[in-house]
């Protein structure tokens, strides 16, 4: 198992599903658990230990509102933790963004942007970290970037046709 994805609530799943698709696309082995820093604190800590025992190298933590899941995970592992602030509540994710990004010094969480783009970037960042020691994955990432660039060039041609 390479990556453990923790979400604070089942309601977060829809937001992070794009990131899950990326992990699948790149063939990264992962597991997903719903676990909450405040509703199931013991379970969260137990899961971190279990994931480490299974060889998980990177944790992804997605939560909304006072999003302390990333910070709690980071407090219990020295492996990289990527945080995704989930929006959709009263403050549209600004609360979760600040909670995730403003970790006091000493225990970092690599905070992505709010919501669906953040979830996709979290998965891509995880792939990039794993690529450091996996040439096949690095090649896949290179191809992914090339495809993205080709799409932008195609868009440019499409728009020009409309002018
Ligand atoms: C957070 O509170 C979760 O990560 C979720 O984003 C938010 C709302 O949770 P639910 O009330 O939908 O379970 O803990």
């Amino acid at each position: 198992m390479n990556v453990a994805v923790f979400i604070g609530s089942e309601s977060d799943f829809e937001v992070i599903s794009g990131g899950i698709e990326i992990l699948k696309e790149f063939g990264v082995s992962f597991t997903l658990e719903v676990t909450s820093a405040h509703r199931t604190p013991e379970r969260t800590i137990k899961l971190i230990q279990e994931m480490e025992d299974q060889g998980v190298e990177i944790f992804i933590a997605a939560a909304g509102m006072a999003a302390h899941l990333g910070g709690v995970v980071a407090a219990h592992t020295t492996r990289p933790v990527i945080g995704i602030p989930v929006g959709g509540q009263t403050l549209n994710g600004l609360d979760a963004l600040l909670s995730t990004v403003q970790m006091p010094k000493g225990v970092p969480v690599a905070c992505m942007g709010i919501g669906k783009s953040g979830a996709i970037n979290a998965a891509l960042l995880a792939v990039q970290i794993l690529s450091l020691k996996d040439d096949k994955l690095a090649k896949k990432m290179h191809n992914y970037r090339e495809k993205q660039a080709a799409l932008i060039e195609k868009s440019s041609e499409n728009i020009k046709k409309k002018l």
Side-chain angles (χ1 to χ4, degrees), residues 10-144:
E10 192 175 348
S11 66
D12 296 325
F13 183 74
E14 199 250 327
V15 175
I16 62 117
S17 59
I20 298 300
E21 290 311 311
I22 293 285
L23 295 177
K24 286 184 184 168
E25 184 181 331
F26 279 89
V28 170
S29 65
F30 69 93
T31 187
L32 185 143
E33 298 281 352
V34 179
T35 191
S36 165
H38 56 284
R39 288 183 279 204
T40 58
E42 289 88 5
R43 171 179 155 76
T44 301
I45 293 165
K46 191 166 160 271
L47 278 171
I48 295 163
Q49 191 55 60
E50 281 173 22
M51 296 301 140
E52 286 201 351
D53 293 344
Q54 288 175 38
V56 158
E57 292 168 277
I58 300 162
F59 288 87
I60 294 176
M65 303 187 76
H68 35 237
L69 186 57
V72 167
V73 175
H76 291 89
T77 185
T78 54
R79 297 178 193 183
V81 178
I82 304 172
I84 306 164
V86 175
Q89 306 284 345
T90 322
L91 297 177
N92 290 329
L94 184 59
D95 42 4
L97 173 68
L98 296 178
S99 303
T100 307
V101 79
Q102 285 288 39
M103 281 297 289
K105 67 177 176 290
V107 181
V109 171
C111 179
M112 301 293 102
I114 299 166
K116 292 185 177 186
S117 290
I120 287 169
N121 280 345
L124 291 171
L125 181 59
V127 171
Q128 288 178 220
I129 295 169
L130 294 169
S131 296
L132 291 171
K133 55 184 178 67
D134 184 332
D135 290 345
K136 276 189 191 160
L137 212 48
K139 177 84 184 126
K140 279 187 192 172
M141 179 54 75
H142 188 72
N143 291 343
Y144 180 88

